[in-house]
Amino acid sequence: MSQYPPPGQFPPPGQFPPPSQFPPPGRPAYWQESPKRKGLAITALVLGILGLVSCWTIVGGYLFAVLAIIFAVIALVKARAGTIGGTGFAIAGSILGVLTIVITTVLAIAYYSFFVESGIQDFLDCVSNAGDDQSAIERCEREWNQQFDDRFGITPTPAPLPR
């Protein structure tokens, strides 16, 4: 007589089969896949978010965006090979990285245009040519303030000093 009941029947209450390493015949084995690691993909996503948040600093935007894309590509390659999970996180990180590069480039162009348009480059050239001559530096500052006021209708004045 077998120590197990036929498939589909259970032993009477109080009678349990001896513990075994394998399930009885006719019953499916329980198998669970170990969870796949998602660290690279989550890193790509976090770097993409950081890039988007810091894109106004230009350097931070480019740095985080490039790192997000690199980590996302590595995560996608490993996910395709089946060694890690987190494909969605990696795709989101790469999209955020590319979006950050686009936004940072637009901001860099806007910053440069303002830099040239406001005459700061002319001011820096004038100060550079003035050397250590304090009166020439003050003349450069007065000229730049006048040009800035003429172009934008705003007179840049320094904040009052605390007393």
Side-chain angles (χ1 to χ4, degrees), residues 10-90:
F10 296 101
Q15 294 181 355
F16 297 102
S20 169
Q21 187 175 7
F22 302 104
R27 293 191 182 166
Y30 177 73
W31 181 77
Q32 179 180 358
E33 184 176 339
S34 61
K36 294 184 177 181
R37 298 173 303 167
K38 300 176 185 172
L40 281 173
I42 292 173
T43 302
L45 179 63
V46 168
L47 287 169
I49 293 170
L50 286 174
L52 203 56
V53 169
S54 67
C55 68
W56 63 274
T57 64
I58 307 299
V59 173
Y62 282 128
L63 177 69
F64 287 127
V66 168
L67 288 174
I69 292 171
I70 290 171
F71 274 90
V73 167
I74 293 170
L76 287 171
V77 167
K78 288 189 173 198
R80 180 164 286 187
T83 57
I84 66 168
T87 305
F89 290 137

